[in-house]
Amino acid sequence: MPVAVTPEARQRGQWQMALERFRGHRPAVIGTFVLVVLALLAIGAPLISPYDPEKTQLLLIFERPSLSHPMGTDSLGRDLATRILYGGRVSLSIGVMAVAVAITLGTLVGMVAGFYGRWIDGLLMRFVDMMLSFPDLFLLILIGVLLKGMTVPVIVVVLGLLRWMRTSRLVRAQFLSLKEREFVEAARTVGADDLRIIFRHILPNSLAPIIVAATLGVAGAIITESTLSFLGLGIQPPTPTWGNMLKDATRDMERAPWTAIYPGLFIFLAVVSINFIGDGLRDALDPRHVIRTQRR
Amino acid sequence: MRRLIGAVPLLLAITAVLFGIMKSVPGGPLAIYEGTPGMTDEDMARLEHAFGLDQPLPIQYVSWLGRFLAGDWGYSIIQHQPVLGLIGERLPNTMLLMGTVFTVVLVLAIPIGTVTAVRQYSWFDHLVTGSTFAFLSTPTFWLGLLLIIVFGLQLRWLPLGGMRTAGVDFDLVDVLRHLILPVATIALVQLGGRVRYLRASMLDTIGQDYMRTARAKGLDERVVVMGHALKNAAIPLVTIIALDVPELFAGALVTEQIFGWPGMGRLLWDATTRNDYPILMGVLAVTSVLIVFANLLADVIYGYLDPRIRYS
Amino acid sequence: MSWKTFGNAAVVGALFAIVAAACAPSTPAAGTAAPSPAGSAAGAPVRGGTLVVAIWQEPANLMPSYQSQTVQSVVLDTVVEGLLRATPAGEYEPVLAKAVPTVTNGGVKVSADGKTMDVTYQLLPGIKWSDGEPVTSADVKFTWQAWMTDPKVGTREGYDQISSIDTPDDLTAVVHYKAIYGPYPTRFGRLLAKHALEKESDYSKSDYVRKPLGTGPFKVTQFNAGESFVVERNPYYRVAGKPYLDKIIFKSVPSSTVAIAQLKAGEVQAMWNIGEAETADVANDPNIAVVVTPSPYVERIEMNTAVNKDGTDANSVHPVLGDINVRRALIYATPKQQIIDKLLLGKAQVGRTVLSIGWAAPKDITQEGYDPKKANDLLDKAGWAKGSDGIRSKGGVRAALTISTTSGNAYREQLEQVLIDEYKQVGVDLKIQNYPSSVFLSGSWATGDQRKRGSYDLSLYNSAPDIDPQSIVNQRYHSKNIPSPANGGVGQNYTRVKNAEMDKAIDEAGASLDFELRKAAYAKALKILNDQAVIIWLSERTDLTAYRKNVQGQGPGNGWRNFAHNTEEWWLSK
């Protein structure tokens, strides 16, 4: 592979190497495959299923899985497979959007704190401490009640607000160490201003842990949403999410186990895939891992 | 030292904000009286006054703060018991549960993490990796329910919840039997994360340059691993563990709910759903203090153990 | 395939297999003969034994004057008694008093001017508190005083009608009421011990709050919050030889699902308040029987007839629900029987009115049944035309409504979703907006409770009248009890129904001591109420308790109290 001299070219070369490493990581590849399938199923829900996920059919309560209802029906006679598909839309998108909010916020804060240091760092980190000191669950409950129920935007924002701290610390650590490096010195001598240094030089090199954290964050967000719904605080019915389907199902576990198996299974599949992908990304993007792969 | 002093206004701010949010929430601790036949509005107004709920917010906050710092944590509006007493009842139970989880995770994570890092790609590593991924991808409450169904209902090996068998006074074996499932639920999920974390950091450090230097000096492999790798990999682990200390106090809310464990988590949940402000403020104040100090501790330890990070 | 993936697949597969195996429905034991009704005694009562009852809510405290939860009264029923109590038929019987004072037996004397009355109670001799001290009329007087002076008691209803109490001797108490108070037998249902409480400056901070004294068959020995509440045989109980049981442990469990599991496993022998739909879980178990008791609880949907503001305009009218045709159409559109059959497994009656059991329950009152065609016809004729989306509108107002109830209640959530569907069929768009019960039921004008403020459309909840219905009928359906800024938010007439005839009937019922007259007045008032079509009476609920077969002696339940009303009779067979 040709090795170029400019930082941009070096980065491009690095990305390509990373991709190669990722493709060699078996579980990550499988995880990607599964996740893509899940995403496609979720997006294509209206095309795949002929049923209405919210229409109640009192006569069809708790039907066992059959040809017309491959995953059976739930406590109100609704086709479970359809609800899983539509639920996937909500659960997956909440996960992704919440992380997007968290990453954006966390990166911004961490960037500023790590780059400028001194009292700005101190102030921002105090703020981070304060946010970290808030008991998550309690805040979620309060907000849910204050706003009279959680809608998707609310959950996304709230989950994002509760999770950006870890990213900010990561980014800050990266910036703290990277800002002393030679290439930053070099950029400064050439006359680059702060903004340019941050966004063109340091940030791209800090992306690796951010990406990994983001990926794993989606998994965490999905689990948090399901826990919230289990406590009755998440998205309210009749809109299906994998989380709130599990909540109802735990009550009906003995009578209709399929209502509990499938949502739980899909949460598990999504989260495991994402974790595999994250693991693969971590391996692929960490330059120090190059040593190990060569040793294999 | 400076940071310690800085923690005080932080805590004040946190408690004030929490108080404000709590009180903005509609409803109130007197909602449980709804449906009581004969309850009139004069009755409700009287109760509001008796519990000091009709005073302006800032006054309520300041008077709470004053009493809190003086040691009077108030009385639960719903249970009519002193908040300190209620916390005192539940805290040992939560500490028992979380302390056991803490110990189990610590004792298991280090050897397992170390072995998988040293023997990377062995069958043991793969087995552990597979299991850890599975467990940390499972929502805690889901795992708990599963365990209850399998071990409690189907196999009937273990009790179905609670801390003791009803009517039996404190019996170590009985409590241990009741501890198994809730501890397993939390520990398995946490262990998954910790083992992976430790493994990753150990792999990082093993591959570091200065490790090769140490090896080049001719030290025995095991010494190299234990002495250096572990110490350096321990840093992030210690940080994470330090951040978990507040959980010894607040407990695992969801797990305590599922298993009916009479601990702080349930106390907090009941108080939240019923807007029992005195309990909420008391528990949250302590939790916030613990979190702030845990963070402080983690940062200090981090700075001490890793001389490469300087503190401005 | 790398080892890693294999390991992972193995774990996933194992988990799945466990779940599948675990969830295979347990095959019912062979020979599922119809379980014999609990209580059909298999022999003579056996003395001794500990009964464990699973409760999936727990009492916050056990102070008789702070009662706010049903589960509190469950435990208190075993411990604290009063002068009189309710019978299953909704009448009264004496407990610590010798007889129920009435006008006929001279126990109640109305003054010459007909404005005040005196009620005289004769106490049974030789009754002792659970600490051995004697029960005297001073305790009756003290109970009234405590109720009136303690700022933290729940409701002072009735006690605030008492002007004074005389105690001519240790066993006689003469209660002077300052008005004609019909529900007088409901007062003094739990007595407080003077000798234990009088020395406390703040009752709410005493031990009495968790371990009250009483004259019941048991006394509280342990209050383990979050775990269990233990009551043991009261050595001073007035009936020799009873209770048979040594101890009852009320075990707190996290949910009804866990309670059922523990009941089936035999870890507990009884379960409080099993849900209708849950009875299916235990129906096939030959060791468990369910006792069904009609209760005074009626599940209903109230409709707000005033406009969605603070009701500042006394004549404000709800744009949609102000039209009686819409209200009646909604009643027609509600499939009450189907809901009961499918969601409550048939274990309830179709609702007709607020008084379902008891002496005042009107026998031949009805409400419209399920007839969506009639609903559609009614709305068509009333000028509500269907739009292109199937939803009706009239004069620019769209028939869109919101229904609210307590969140986290599975049956209610199912119910709401059924209604969304059904109401759509008749052209009404229904949305759900639920709240946690502490918000929905806060009942306070100051905190903006939506039922008080009139900022709701449809409100779904469950409630029961006291055994004497005056209080609830008056509070809920009398026009003077419509909460508004003008009257300081007082009253519980949430539907804001106004009918002069109904008001008159309610006042009549409240002013008389003649049960027959009152009964007729209630029947009249409630018929008018149904004509106003402001409430959909969904179902008359039942109390359901599940027991293991070895629990004997319960007999039929008492809907006015709860399943622990006669624990002195219970015993355990082998």
Side-chain angles (χ1 to χ4, degrees):
Chain A
M1 196 163 307
V3 175
V5 179
T6 62
E8 293 81 4
R10 194 186 303 134
Q11 278 163 30
R12 268 205 308 277
Q14 282 176 348
W15 288 119
Q16 276 178 310
M17 288 199 292
L19 192 60
E20 292 258 325
R21 284 199 293 269
F22 184 83
R23 272 196 252 144
H25 192 282
R26 257 290 172 41
V29 172
I30 296 183
T32 317
F33 179 67
V34 172
L35 195 61
V36 166
V37 168
L38 287 177
L40 284 176
L41 283 178
I43 296 174
L47 298 170
I48 301 175
S49 161
Y51 295 106
D52 180 344
E54 299 183 12
K55 182 169 173 58
T56 63
Q57 307 253 46
L58 279 188
L59 297 171
L60 290 175
I61 290 183
F62 290 145
E63 296 265 317
R64 301 193 81 98
S66 63
L67 275 177
S68 62
H69 295 281
M71 294 188 197
T73 64
D74 70 355
S75 59
L76 283 176
R78 301 176 289 206
D79 177 49
L80 202 69
T82 311
R83 300 204 77 201
I84 295 266
L85 290 179
Y86 280 87
R89 296 181 137 192
V90 183
S91 297
L92 290 175
S93 56
I94 287 183
V96 169
M97 291 192 287
V99 164
V101 171
I103 294 291
T104 313
L105 205 51
T107 307
L108 281 171
V109 172
M111 263 193 321
V112 173
F115 189 76
Y116 290 110
R118 305 290 150 122
W119 63 269
I120 288 191
D121 180 24
L123 187 67
L124 283 173
M125 284 304 108
R126 273 299 73 66
F127 182 55
V128 168
D129 278 344
M130 176 164 142
M131 288 301 296
L132 280 172
S133 307
F134 273 95
D136 307 30
L137 220 46
F138 182 65
L139 210 56
L140 283 166
I141 297 171
L142 281 182
I143 294 178
V145 176
L146 188 61
L147 296 174
K148 300 207 171 119
M150 297 266 209
T151 59
V152 173
V154 170
I155 288 195
V156 164
V157 167
V158 173
L159 282 183
L161 285 177
L162 289 174
R163 296 181 153 255
W164 60 267
M165 290 83 80
R166 175 172 284 194
T167 313
S168 75
R169 287 191 157 200
L170 268 175
V171 172
R172 170 183 175 273
Q174 285 282 320
F175 269 68
L176 273 178
S177 68
L178 282 177
K179 76 176 176 185
E180 314 286 344
R181 291 277 202 91
E182 320 84 33
F183 67 91
V184 172
E185 294 271 339
R188 261 192 228 281
T189 46
V190 179
D193 65 12
D194 284 349
L195 228 64
R196 191 182 163 79
I197 296 181
I198 291 179
F199 281 101
R200 291 216 66 193
H201 293 119
I202 308 187
L203 188 58
N205 283 304
S206 340
L207 276 183
I210 296 180
I211 291 179
V212 176
T215 316
L216 299 173
V218 176
I222 293 181
I223 292 197
T224 305
E225 186 268 321
S226 70
T227 308
L228 267 183
S229 299
F230 180 72
L231 294 171
L233 305 167
I235 308 280
Q236 300 292 319
T239 313
T241 74
W242 291 340
N244 74 14
M245 289 167 72
L246 259 184
K247 167 183 180 256
D248 290 337
T250 54
R251 186 194 63 232
D252 305 320
M253 238 172 178
E254 291 211 63
R255 239 174 304 155
W258 53 91
T259 57
I261 294 182
Y262 288 108
L265 187 64
F266 274 79
I267 293 182
F268 179 71
L269 280 177
V271 174
V272 157
S273 314
I274 296 177
N275 280 328
F276 279 155
I277 296 176
D279 199 46
L281 282 174
R282 199 206 315 258
D283 270 357
L285 293 174
D286 187 339
R288 292 173 288 185
H289 284 217
V290 175
I291 305 170
R292 277 206 311 287
T293 50
Q294 284 176 351
R295 235 197 288 161
R296 204 193 331 181
Chain B
M1 196 62 220
R2 223 176 347 123
R3 298 197 59 189
L4 231 107
I5 301 181
V8 174
L10 177 66
L11 286 170
L12 277 177
I14 294 178
T15 49
V17 170
L18 283 173
F19 190 83
I21 297 182
M22 270 201 289
K23 290 290 185 157
S24 326
V25 167
L30 301 178
I32 55 171
Y33 282 103
E34 165 65 27
T36 309
M39 214 45 197
T40 64
D41 299 288
E42 292 91 41
D43 291 324
M44 291 295 265
R46 170 177 45 83
L47 282 174
E48 275 175 22
H49 184 74
F51 290 113
L53 294 173
D54 51 355
Q55 291 175 313
L57 284 191
I59 296 190
Q60 287 191 46
Y61 175 69
V62 171
S63 65
W64 169 79
L65 190 61
R67 279 179 280 126
F68 182 78
L69 293 172
D72 171 14
W73 290 18
Y75 276 74
S76 156
I77 292 180
I78 305 214
Q79 297 194 45
H80 303 286
Q81 299 295 310
V83 172
L84 260 177
L86 287 172
I87 294 182
E89 277 179 355
R90 309 286 189 116
L91 190 57
N93 301 333
T94 291
M95 296 198 71
L96 176 63
L97 178 65
M98 297 310 287
T100 315
V101 169
F102 217 66
T103 319
V104 165
V105 171
L106 201 60
V107 160
L108 287 180
I110 294 181
I112 294 182
T114 316
V115 172
T116 57
V118 167
R119 296 193 190 288
Q120 199 185 6
Y121 305 123
S122 65
W123 67 267
F124 181 75
D125 183 25
H126 285 309
L127 182 66
V128 166
T129 305
S131 333
T132 50
F133 266 114
F135 283 122
L136 63 85
S137 306
T138 319
T140 322
F141 69 89
W142 179 229
L143 185 60
L145 289 167
L146 221 56
L147 289 177
I148 288 184
I149 287 188
V150 172
F151 292 100
L153 288 177
Q154 297 292 117
L155 294 173
R156 301 265 174 102
W157 285 354
L158 292 169
L160 285 164
M163 197 172 80
R164 300 181 262 231
T165 312
V168 173
D169 284 330
F170 189 81
D171 173 20
L172 191 61
V173 175
D174 188 45
V175 172
L176 280 177
R177 284 186 76 225
H178 281 89
L179 256 183
I180 296 178
L181 285 183
V183 166
T185 306
I186 308 177
L188 281 173
V189 176
Q190 269 194 16
L191 203 56
R194 306 281 180 268
V195 164
R196 295 222 55 72
Y197 209 86
L198 194 58
R199 178 180 180 276
S201 352
M202 296 232 22
L203 284 175
D204 273 354
T205 11
I206 289 181
Q208 292 276 354
D209 286 339
Y210 66 93
M211 289 293 304
R212 289 201 287 184
T213 320
R215 263 196 220 100
K217 282 194 199 159
L219 296 168
D220 175 32
E221 180 82 14
R222 234 176 297 160
V223 170
V224 163
V225 167
M226 293 314 194
H228 290 87
L230 200 52
K231 179 177 165 204
N232 284 290
I235 300 166
L237 191 69
V238 159
T239 328
I240 292 190
I241 290 181
L243 291 173
D244 275 346
V245 165
E247 280 200 29
L248 278 176
F249 183 74
L253 202 145
V254 181
T255 312
E256 285 191 10
Q257 281 284 89
I258 298 174
F259 287 96
W261 193 265
M264 296 293 297
R266 271 182 81 196
L267 181 66
L268 193 60
W269 175 252
D270 288 340
T272 308
T273 49
R274 296 194 271 202
N275 284 9
D276 199 342
Y277 305 121
I279 296 183
L280 288 174
M281 289 307 291
V283 174
L284 288 171
V286 176
T287 313
S288 305
V289 167
L290 284 178
I291 292 181
V292 168
F293 281 113
N295 286 347
L296 234 127
L297 195 66
D299 286 336
V300 165
I301 294 181
Y302 198 94
Y304 174 67
L305 282 181
D306 187 346
R308 288 185 295 159
I309 300 284
R310 240 171 320 250
Y311 249 82
S312 48
Chain C
M1 213 192 209
S2 81
W3 273 107
K4 208 181 222 181
T5 19
F6 182 72
N8 302 327
V11 175
V12 172
L15 264 180
F16 192 39
I18 291 178
V19 169
C23 295
S26 33
T27 46
T32 42
S36 52
S40 57
V46 168
R47 193 175 165 88
T50 300
L51 174 71
V52 184
V53 180
I55 50 177
W56 45 271
Q57 276 176 13
E58 57 172 59
N61 60 67
L62 288 175
M63 185 67 170
S65 45
Y66 296 167
Q67 188 171 324
S68 56
Q69 307 162 283
T70 325
V71 73
Q72 270 173 325
S73 85
V74 167
V75 180
L76 278 176
D77 267 6
T78 64
V79 178
V80 182
E81 295 174 318
L83 296 175
L84 311 174
R85 70 179 171 207
T87 65
E91 284 155 358
Y92 302 100
E93 63 182 9
V95 182
L96 296 180
K98 275 196 185 145
V100 179
T102 62
V103 177
T104 5
N105 66 11
V108 176
K109 287 194 180 52
V110 180
S111 66
D113 60 9
K115 292 227 172 74
T116 66
M117 62 189 228
D118 294 341
V119 180
T120 308
Y121 296 94
Q122 295 288 344
L123 293 176
L124 289 174
I127 312 277
K128 294 206 173 78
W129 291 101
S130 42
D131 63 352
E133 293 294 317
V135 175
T136 68
S137 53
D139 291 313
V140 177
K141 181 168 182 178
F142 177 78
T143 302
W144 165 64
Q145 286 168 332
W147 229 277
M148 294 305 294
T149 55
D150 185 349
K152 297 190 176 148
V153 298
T155 171
R156 289 201 172 125
E157 170 93 9
Y159 292 107
D160 54 3
Q161 302 294 315
I162 298 176
S163 56
S164 64
I165 299 186
D166 292 330
T167 53
D169 63 64
D170 274 352
L171 294 180
T172 312
V174 183
V175 182
H176 302 286
Y177 282 89
K178 50 191 175 192
I180 301 295
Y181 184 62
Y184 68 88
T186 60
R187 298 303 95 193
F188 299 106
R190 300 210 197 275
L191 287 184
L192 299 174
K194 173 175 179 177
H195 67 278
L197 278 175
E198 62 182 345
K199 49 185 177 348
E200 305 280 351
S201 53
D202 185 346
Y203 304 146
S204 71
K205 299 200 165 106
S206 68
D207 285 340
Y208 208 91
V209 167
R210 283 190 159 184
K211 295 193 183 153
L213 292 184
T215 57
F218 297 90
K219 62 176 185 189
V220 182
T221 52
Q222 287 182 45
F223 190 104
N224 302 319
E227 275 194 274
S228 58
F229 309 88
V230 183
V231 300
E232 291 182 37
R233 181 187 289 118
N234 177 0
Y236 297 103
Y237 186 55
R238 56 198 152 82
V239 181
K242 291 185 187 172
Y244 302 113
L245 294 170
D246 293 328
K247 217 193 293 195
I248 302 182
I249 300 177
F250 293 96
K251 183 175 176 192
S252 172
V253 295
S255 70
S256 53
T257 319
V258 173
I260 292 177
Q262 295 193 353
L263 184 66
K264 285 164 120 168
E267 280 183 33
V268 304
Q269 289 87 44
M271 172 187 167
W272 165 70
N273 206 354
I274 183 170
E276 288 89 344
E278 293 167 332
T279 53
D281 284 344
V282 298
N284 287 332
D285 190 328
N287 294 318
I288 298 178
V290 174
V291 174
V292 181
T293 313
S295 85
Y297 275 87
V298 178
E299 184 109 1
R300 86 259 341 241
I301 298 177
E302 285 182 347
M303 303 190 249
N304 188 4
T305 58
V307 85
N308 278 4
K309 290 204 178 65
D310 289 342
T312 35
D313 173 7
N315 297 314
S316 67
V317 171
H318 193 289
V320 181
L321 292 172
D323 184 347
I324 192 171
N325 293 303
V326 174
R327 303 200 300 266
R328 197 155 274 135
L330 288 182
I331 299 179
Y332 278 124
T334 308
K336 298 184 194 174
Q337 188 63 55
Q338 206 187 23
I339 291 172
I340 291 177
D341 289 337
K342 287 284 169 191
L343 300 182
L344 295 179
L345 299 192
K347 294 197 161 45
Q349 300 285 336
V350 169
R352 306 157 298 146
T353 182
V354 67
L355 304 179
S356 53
I357 62 174
W359 60 268
K363 288 287 169 267
D364 39 13
I365 195 167
T366 57
Q367 192 177 51
E368 295 84 352
Y370 180 55
D371 197 334
K373 187 171 177 309
K374 266 205 189 132
N376 275 313
D377 287 342
L378 202 58
L379 288 171
D380 283 334
K381 288 207 197 80
W384 290 87
K386 272 196 182 172
S388 54
D389 58 353
I391 303 299
R392 297 177 183 273
S393 59
K394 178 179 177 185
V397 177
R398 201 160 168 274
L401 297 169
T402 306
I403 186 168
S404 308
T405 187
T406 57
S407 54
N409 182 318
Y411 154 69
R412 293 212 179 117
E413 284 166 10
Q414 287 177 310
L415 177 59
E416 284 174 324
Q417 296 176 46
V418 170
L419 291 178
I420 289 181
D421 236 21
E422 292 287 340
Y423 290 178
K424 204 194 265 182
Q425 306 291 332
V426 303
V428 174
D429 178 33
L430 189 66
K431 291 230 173 345
I432 300 180
Q433 180 66 63
N434 293 340
Y435 305 90
S437 55
S438 70
V439 174
F440 184 69
L441 301 175
S442 69
S444 158
W445 177 271
T447 61
D449 175 70
Q450 49 160 4
R451 293 182 302 168
K452 278 269 180 183
R453 296 263 174 173
S455 50
Y456 73 100
D457 294 332
L458 299 175
S459 157
L460 164 66
Y461 67 100
N462 199 3
S463 182
D466 208 6
I467 185 170
D468 190 299
Q470 181 59 21
S471 156
I472 218 145
V473 175
N474 185 24
Q475 288 281 322
R476 301 274 167 122
Y477 312 120
H478 199 294
S479 61
K480 73 173 192 267
N481 282 319
I482 296 179
S484 71
N487 74 351
V490 167
Q492 293 170 6
N493 186 339
Y494 300 131
T495 57
R496 286 145 171 87
V497 63
K498 286 186 277 244
N499 184 290
E501 288 260 336
M502 186 163 62
D503 287 349
K504 192 150 155 282
I506 296 177
D507 288 335
E508 265 177 37
S512 160
L513 293 173
D514 178 344
F515 282 108
E516 286 308 313
L517 192 149
R518 297 179 67 196
K519 192 166 164 182
Y522 287 128
K524 182 162 165 223
L526 293 179
K527 178 156 187 328
I528 299 176
L529 183 63
N530 276 4
D531 288 339
Q532 303 297 311
V534 288
I535 305 184
I536 308 178
W537 304 108
L538 285 174
S539 51
E540 298 174 4
R541 304 295 291 270
T542 48
D543 278 342
L544 298 166
T545 319
Y547 301 93
R548 290 191 70 83
K549 284 311 203 39
N550 63 332
V551 181
Q552 310 278 348
Q554 306 96 310
N558 184 336
W560 292 103
R561 302 182 55 207
N562 55 67
F563 76 101
H565 70 114
N566 62 348
T567 47
E568 67 270 14
E569 306 286 349
W570 299 8
W571 54 280
L572 293 170
S573 64
K574 291 293 162 268

